[in-house]
């Protein structure tokens, strides 16, 4: 059974860099890895997406090793408003149909 | 550009009833995915539709069914509601240019379903 695991929680202070890793042991060969941010009672919000190596946009970087069995979301300088749950999302192979699996989610708490 | 919208925002049903949830995809998107998110849990993939055909399905029983219409809006139908079906139901749309199941998805605000 495919598992996509993340640390349950992380603490940080404003201005620090935060790295959140997701382990995905059964990722599909041709599918992307995507990270989302979610606030309570809202839909997830897209942060960044990649296939391999490194991707950077205006809010985050995504690092993916060659075997693609993990990925790391890097938030360069967090603020209080970054306190949220962060999820990775991957496609997995196996079985008769395609599946999407969210990671277990990481609650990031940013303190002043 | 209009984002993903869902209706209704909240719904209360009793066990055994049937429910239909609706989703309008973002302009220009042809793929819709549905997720169930129980309180305190991550979203669980129900299924995805690409150009009106099912493109993937999670581990949900057949009483969870869906439709996608020619304008790419979508419905999620749940029959014989159970107490454990109480959750936030999320819809997401994507451009699906290549029909990849992991094309970037943009989520709606969700429908909160309570089953009594």
């Amino acid at each position: 059974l495919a598992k996509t695991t993340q640390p349950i929680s992380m603490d940080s202070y404003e201005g620090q860099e935060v790295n959140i890793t997701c382990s995905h042991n059964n990722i599909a060969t041709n599918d992307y890895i995507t990270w989302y941010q979610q606030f309570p009672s809202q839909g997830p919000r897209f942060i960044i997406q990649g296939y391999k190596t490194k991707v950077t946009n205006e809010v985050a970087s995504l690092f993916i090793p060659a075997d693609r069995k993990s990925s790391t979301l890097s938030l360069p300088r967090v603020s209080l408003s970054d306190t949220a749950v962060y999820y990775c999302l991957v496609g997995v192979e196996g079985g008769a149909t395609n599946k999407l699996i969210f990671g277990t989610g990481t609650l990031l708490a940013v303190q002043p | 550009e209009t984002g993903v919208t869902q209706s209704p925002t909240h719904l209360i049903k009793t066990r055994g009833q049937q429910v239909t949830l609706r989703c309008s995809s973002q302009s220009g998107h042809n793929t819709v995915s549905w997720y169930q998110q129980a309180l305190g849990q991550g979203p669980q993939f129900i299924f995805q539709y690409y150009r009106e055909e099912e493109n993937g399905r999670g581990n949900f029983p057949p009483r969870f069914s869906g439709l996608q219409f020619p304008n790419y809006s979508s419905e999620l139908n749940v029959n014989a509601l159970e107490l454990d079906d109480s959750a936030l139901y999320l819809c997401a749309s994507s451009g699906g240019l290549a029909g990849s199941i992991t094309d970037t998805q943009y989520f709606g605000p969700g429908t909160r379903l309570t089953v009594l």
Side-chain angles (χ1 to χ4, degrees), chain A residues 45-108:
Chain A
R45 186 175 76 93
F46 172 80
I47 301 173
I48 196 166
Q49 182 181 69
Y51 180 75
K52 60 180 179 181
T53 62
K54 178 183 175 182
V55 179
T56 297
N57 63 18
E58 62 275 10
V59 299
S61 294
L62 178 59
F63 300 91
I64 304 168
D67 66 5
R68 296 186 359 107
K69 292 188 183 300
S70 67
S71 59
T72 299
L73 172 71
S74 180
L75 303 172
R77 274 191 300 277
V78 296
S79 63
L80 295 176
S81 63
D82 293 321
T83 294
V85 179
Y86 292 81
Y87 293 99
C88 61
L89 174 66
V90 300
V92 295
E93 292 175 331
T97 182
N98 297 319
K99 286 184 173 58
L100 288 165
I101 294 186
F102 269 91
T104 47
T106 299
L107 174 59
L108 172 64

Side-chain angles (χ1 to χ4, degrees), chain B residues 13-67:
Chain B
K13 292 284 190 178
T14 56
R15 198 169 43 182
Q17 284 189 312
Q18 179 266 343
V19 68
T20 297
L21 309 183
R22 294 178 175 84
C23 172
S24 291
S25 58
Q26 186 168 313
S27 176
H29 286 182
N30 56 17
T31 302
V32 171
S33 303
W34 285 92
Y35 297 84
Q36 180 196 66
Q37 187 172 27
L39 201 60
Q41 305 293 316
Q44 300 293 313
F45 175 62
I46 303 175
F47 40 58
Q48 182 182 89
Y49 282 86
Y50 168 64
R51 295 184 179 270
E52 303 178 59
E53 298 287 331
E54 190 176 284
N55 190 42
R57 189 178 180 93
N59 299 325
F60 281 79
R63 61 189 184 84
F64 286 79
S65 63
L67 276 176

